[in-house]
Amino acid sequence: MWSSLPLDVLANIFSFLSPDSLARARSACRHWHECVDTRPLSTKPILSQYHPSWFIALPLRAHKLCFAHNPIFDNWHKLSLEFLPDLVKPIATVGNLLLLRSVSSVVLQLIICNPFTSQFRYLPRPNITRSNPAVGVVIQNTSQDSQFPEFEVYVAGGMSEAPQGGTTYESKLEIYDSRNDSWKIVGSLPVEFSVRLTVWTHNDSVYSNGVLYWITSARAFRVMGFEINSNICRELQVPMADRLEFAALTSRNGRLALVGAICGENACVWELGDRDMWAVVEKVPNDLGIKLLGGSNGRWINTKCVANNEVMCLYKELGSGMVIWRERKEKNKWEWNWINGCSSIRSQRVDNLPIKGLLLQPSLAPFAPYSN
């Protein structure tokens, strides 16, 4: 019976499987292999209900590998990135894909890939040749299938060639649109914004209510925003900006959120409310904070955070473990918990590497090119 099911019906059944189970089903027979490789296997409601996001850890020192934590079975997997021609650094997730930056080139070159199917493609190069810019991502069609959404990449700041020779801070803002697979220049930033985005801003960005935000990496922390429809730059104060040991931007329930901590105290989660005022909405439990820091005298410095609408992860190195704040839909509340770090996989030791974490829902669906 199973071998005679129409592919559409079989694909609907497969959409309820976790990536682990789907990989095994894919290798069962030729009929199932064809179904997995040629049919859309999931829709966003099914993904969000049955397949929680995986934590993807990419080493900061540009190794050709990454590590993935399966939250259902609470285990780690090692994924090879040898299929990529370049060494890369992570930027963001786009649906079920990773947006990466090539470090084989001084100027900006972006790559999008699926680490679970070893498929990738280069995005076209921007019109302006620049190095070390801030990069932000905006997903356009969140109501559609989340595997291959339409998206925009914003590139701001960075260094470009000066007309008289040498280099200068680039003030033009450029956008890549996946709907036409091309770049366009949409405006200019004040020089002081360009400098901050180049020197003191990581690639991490957060989009909330029509504004794309970045946070400076040097104390005192400040948040810089770009209103997309009006092309207006704005700047936000950060609570306890000159005292925080770490600070990271996230989004929660559609609102801009900030996670940070000072020495000797619990990490806090703030949400941005009316009149650009921050309000504390949660604190990391003391015992989990101490565990993450390696003791009561530990420091929050070098702590990182990544979050989406279902989970927030605070982490340091690959082997140090994570504090997570996850939505439990069956209980209609959010709960704090601990995830052990990746110190070994299948009894083989794993080095404790500095990492950047991303969250995505894995997919074995065929890679979809972003072009007309």
Side-chain angles (χ1 to χ4, degrees):
M1 180 186 75
W2 283 92
S3 61
S4 60
L5 282 176
L7 290 180
D8 289 344
V9 175
L10 192 59
N12 185 56
I13 296 171
F14 283 170
S15 68
F16 290 87
L17 298 179
S18 68
D20 307 61
S21 300
L22 185 59
R24 289 191 289 270
R26 185 173 180 263
S27 62
C29 65
R30 182 177 299 177
H31 183 62
W32 288 17
H33 187 281
E34 178 186 357
C35 179
V36 173
D37 279 2
T38 61
R39 298 285 168 158
L41 295 179
S42 57
T43 58
K44 190 172 182 181
I46 292 176
L47 276 172
S48 60
Q49 182 175 357
Y50 295 102
H51 307 323
S53 298
W54 289 31
F55 180 86
I56 308 297
L58 291 102
L60 293 180
R61 298 196 182 112
H63 294 261
K64 279 200 172 182
L65 78 166
C66 66
F67 301 88
H69 180 263
N70 181 340
I72 298 176
F73 298 108
D74 190 22
N75 58 6
W76 288 88
H77 302 268
K78 183 178 178 180
L79 303 176
S80 172
L81 299 181
E82 289 293 337
F83 63 91
L84 294 174
D86 301 340
L87 292 173
V88 294
K89 286 189 176 181
I91 293 180
T93 54
V94 177
N96 299 117
L97 305 174
L98 298 178
L99 180 65
L100 309 167
R101 174 183 175 175
S102 169
V103 297
S104 301
S105 173
V106 175
V107 299
L108 182 68
Q109 173 66 74
L110 299 177
I111 301 172
I112 196 160
C113 85
N114 185 337
F116 291 89
T117 61
S118 300
Q119 294 173 297
F120 78 96
R121 76 176 284 254
Y122 288 101
L123 297 191
R125 285 189 181 272
N127 296 311
I128 300 173
T129 300
R130 64 176 103 194
S131 60
N132 198 36
V135 180
V137 178
V138 176
I139 305 298
Q140 294 294 335
N141 59 341
T142 55
S143 62
Q144 300 180 27
D145 188 340
S146 66
Q147 289 186 34
F148 309 114
E150 296 169 353
F151 68 99
E152 293 176 337
V153 179
Y154 287 73
V155 176
M159 304 296 293
S160 62
E161 292 185 4
Q164 297 79 21
T167 59
T168 184
Y169 290 105
E170 179 57 60
S171 62
K172 292 185 177 64
L173 180 74
E174 195 167 359
I175 299 175
Y176 168 82
D177 191 334
S178 69
R179 290 167 291 191
N180 51 38
D181 193 31
S182 64
W183 293 86
K184 64 179 179 179
I185 298 170
V186 296
S188 297
L189 302 176
V191 174
E192 60 270 23
F193 264 61
S194 298
V195 173
R196 292 182 187 179
L197 289 172
T198 304
V199 179
W200 292 304
T201 303
H202 299 301
N203 280 327
D204 300 319
S205 66
V206 175
Y207 177 71
S208 175
N209 295 322
V211 183
L212 189 61
Y213 293 97
W214 290 274
I215 189 169
T216 59
S217 58
R219 289 188 288 179
F221 295 102
R222 298 187 75 83
V223 173
M224 294 176 292
F226 177 77
E227 295 181 3
I228 289 176
N229 290 334
S230 63
N231 284 6
I232 294 176
C233 296
R234 56 185 303 198
E235 191 169 355
L236 300 178
Q237 302 288 335
V238 172
M240 300 187 295
D242 58 343
R243 300 176 58 204
L244 293 176
E245 286 194 317
F246 93 98
L249 288 181
T250 67
S251 178
R252 183 173 179 270
N253 299 326
R255 292 194 172 195
L256 185 69
L258 183 141
V259 185
I262 63 176
C263 183
E265 297 190 15
N266 295 350
C268 295
V269 182
W270 291 268
E271 281 188 4
L272 187 67
D274 298 334
R275 301 177 184 176
D276 288 343
M277 299 295 293
W278 296 97
V280 176
V281 295
E282 187 67 19
K283 290 187 177 181
V284 175
N286 186 58
D287 58 331
L288 294 181
I290 291 174
K291 194 171 184 178
L292 177 66
L293 303 183
S296 57
N297 296 323
R299 302 285 300 275
W300 288 99
I301 193 168
N302 296 327
T303 301
K304 304 179 187 72
C305 178
V306 62
N308 58 19
N309 289 329
E310 67 185 63
V311 64
M312 178 182 293
C313 303
L314 275 71
Y315 65 95
K316 285 198 166 187
E317 295 84 17
L318 180 63
S320 61
M322 293 186 291
V323 175
I324 65 166
W325 190 29
R326 184 182 295 279
E327 182 183 17
R328 298 296 184 186
K329 293 183 179 181
E330 68 277 8
K331 298 182 180 180
N332 196 29
K333 67 176 184 178
W334 287 63
E335 293 181 347
W336 291 97
N337 210 331
W338 175 262
I339 291 177
N340 289 325
C342 180
S343 57
S344 65
I345 296 178
R346 296 179 180 177
S347 301
Q348 293 187 350
R349 182 178 173 275
V350 174
D351 293 334
N352 188 21
L353 303 168
I355 58 170
K356 175 182 170 73
L358 297 172
L359 294 167
L360 89 167
Q361 292 166 330
S363 171
L364 299 180
F367 189 86
Y370 288 95
S371 60
N372 291 331

